Amino acid sequence: MNRSAIGYILGYVLMVEGVLLMLPVVVALIYQEQEGVWYFGTAFACVLIGFLITRRKPKSFLFYLKEGCVATALSWIVMSIMGAMPFWLSKEIPSYIDALFETISGFTTTGASILSEVESLSHTALFWRSFTHWIGGMGVLVFLLMIIPLSGGSNMNLMRAESPGPSVGKLVPRIQSTAQILYVIYFGMTVVETVLLIIGGMDVFESLATSFGTAGTGGFGIKNDSIGGYSSYIQWVVTIFMILFGVNFNAYYMILLKKWKKAVKMEEVRYYFFIIGISILIIFFNILHLVGNVWDALRHAAFQVGSIITTTGFSTTDFEQWPQTSKTVLVLLMFIGACAGSTGGGIKVSRIVILVKTVGKELHSYIHPKSIRKVKFEKKPVEHEVVRSTNVYFIAFMLIFAASVLIVSFEGKGLVTTFTSVAATINNIGPGLELVGPIGNFGSFHPISKLVFMFDMLAGRLELFPLLILFHPALWKDAIKKRKM
């Protein structure tokens, strides 16, 4: 294992985080808040530690998928540990476990919170909470790929370990150029939403914080009622952009190249919008008698469907009061998630489609045993390796989900709360049902349960295996052997 290259990347991650921590310091200066001192101190510590680590450059930057997974997992853990320090040091979140929970929830774009009163936080803390969504949405290592030149396929292995979805492809021949294109699209869409929100009456701070949460599909609100207190115009803007950020970014690249037909014909994107449309219709008719007004019912249905399937987690109403059918649809959307190659979480639409088609293929083989039929996706045969990895991912996902539900169940908070709290964290959504519903929070859980949720949030954001590999004995045996040699 190339430990020196992994350490070098961790050092760069810390320096980048230190620079990013200066933005809430600027916010503190603008609003004259003393909490900014702790952000500055943490930023200085990150830059100093990162600088000391990167002073010694590795002999080789070449590493494989194993090192890519380890570097990615450790980067997110270290980033979260340091990112939680200002919350804890400023005493705005007195418990470090709670501060770490809030930070991991932010970076993984989950949006689950232990806070019952967010409006009492300083502007500095509110900005950092929302900004962690924006950082984690595209991924800090994707950002680093624009800076650090890695040799061979090392940059691809790093991107594969962090980017969501069953497979990662290059938009252009060079990975650095791909990372730049992704961030240009990401930044551009964030700016457009921010401007539209300002036009709708939000001030600059509110529009930035909301756009960060939408772009990263995170969902940390700066108001206790999330987006519920804002105008219909603002809610529709957020709805549209939540759904847009859940689209595979390859589609936007095709649009930039004016390859409209290719973008429209992307199978995953078409299924994504089909699922959204059907879900909105079901919930619309299911809640119409409760809401009374047709346009309000449509707005709430569209907002919550967009929020849940993209795993953003914003809310405009307490959907805990909705009929069982509507809540069931939302729970199902939690697991489906957004498109691969987007900032959304969940299992991903592409995996669901491949799994369903695999079942169809098996049924066909029962009827016609001698026939040879391949699973096709995007009009191309899906390689056996992709089908196998999709099946393995789903099995691993369900095992982690079941184990997490079992551990959390010892608290005795009820099956719905337990089930949806785990679903909301492993799928990076935020709100669940009952105690963890849109007006609830995770603050009442035992620290052990919170540790489980933190693991689930990281595992869900990193597509399970980059985090799971840290617990594989063979990884550390190999590392120890090489160190002795």
Side-chain angles (χ1 to χ4, degrees), residues 217-410:
T217 60
F220 272 153
I222 57 174
K223 301 289 184 181
N224 292 332
D225 62 355
S226 189
I227 309 295
Y230 292 106
S231 67
S232 298
Y233 166 84
I234 286 175
Q235 291 178 13
W236 275 114
V237 169
V238 174
T239 300
I240 292 167
F241 275 90
M242 284 191 297
I243 293 171
L244 290 177
F245 278 107
V247 172
N248 191 320
F249 273 49
N250 285 355
Y252 297 130
Y253 180 64
M254 295 300 169
I255 291 172
L256 288 176
L257 295 179
K258 297 183 179 179
K259 296 181 179 180
W260 300 92
K261 289 184 179 180
K262 200 168 183 179
V264 172
K265 288 182 179 180
M266 287 182 69
E267 187 176 359
E268 182 184 27
V269 176
R270 285 189 283 113
Y271 275 114
Y272 170 70
F273 281 107
F274 175 76
I275 293 168
I276 289 174
I278 292 297
S279 301
I280 290 174
L281 283 175
I282 293 171
I283 293 178
F284 168 73
F285 286 112
N286 196 226
I287 67 171
L288 184 57
H289 70 284
L290 290 177
V291 179
N293 184 286
V294 172
W295 295 111
D296 287 344
L298 181 61
R299 173 166 49 86
H300 289 311
F303 189 97
Q304 290 312 146
V305 168
S307 179
I308 298 300
I309 195 171
T310 62
T311 70
T312 305
F314 282 137
S315 62
T316 57
T317 186
D318 182 11
F319 54 79
E320 174 63 32
Q321 306 303 318
W322 284 0
Q324 291 298 321
T325 301
S326 295
K327 290 191 286 187
T328 301
V329 170
L330 293 179
V331 171
L332 291 174
L333 293 177
M334 287 182 183
F335 289 93
I336 295 172
C339 295
S342 71
T343 60
I347 294 174
K348 304 295 183 299
V349 173
S350 55
R351 281 200 183 97
I352 299 295
V353 173
I354 291 172
L355 286 168
V356 171
K357 288 188 175 184
T358 303
V359 172
K361 173 182 172 291
E362 288 300 309
L363 289 174
H364 186 268
S365 67
Y366 272 80
I367 300 170
H368 304 285
K370 294 183 179 181
S371 67
I372 298 174
R373 187 178 181 181
K374 284 199 170 187
V375 174
K376 288 188 176 182
F377 186 68
E378 303 288 358
K379 295 184 179 180
K380 296 177 182 178
V382 179
E383 294 180 8
H384 174 73
E385 181 62 25
V386 175
V387 176
R388 184 197 64 81
S389 64
T390 300
N391 294 336
V392 171
Y393 176 90
F394 185 72
I395 293 168
F397 180 93
M398 295 310 298
L399 288 173
I400 295 172
F401 181 82
S404 300
V405 169
L406 178 62
I407 295 170
V408 176
S409 69
F410 285 105

Side-chain angles (χ1 to χ4, degrees), residues 19-29 36 39 124-125 127-128 131:
V19 173
L20 294 174
L21 274 163
M22 291 305 296
L23 287 177
V25 173
V26 173
V27 173
L29 291 173
Y39 290 84
T124 312
F127 181 88
W128 179 238
F131 191 48

Side-chain angles (χ1 to χ4, degrees), residues 82-143:
M82 295 304 294
M85 295 302 290
F87 289 139
W88 179 57
L89 292 171
S90 65
K91 303 300 180 185
E92 292 201 79
I93 303 180
S95 165
Y96 182 75
I97 291 292
D98 286 348
L100 186 61
F101 181 99
E102 201 78 6
T103 307
I104 290 176
S105 180
F107 280 128
T108 59
T109 72
T110 304
S113 180
I114 49 82
L115 300 169
S116 57
E117 172 63 48
V118 297
E119 292 182 31
S120 62
L121 294 177
S122 63
H123 288 85
T124 312
L126 288 173
F127 181 88
W128 179 238
R129 282 174 84 241
S130 297
F131 191 48
T132 54
H133 282 332
W134 197 84
I135 297 168
M138 188 59 67
V140 69
L141 295 181
V142 174
F143 176 77

Side-chain angles (χ1 to χ4, degrees), residues 14 54 83 175 295 473:
L14 281 172
T54 54
I175 285 292
W295 295 111

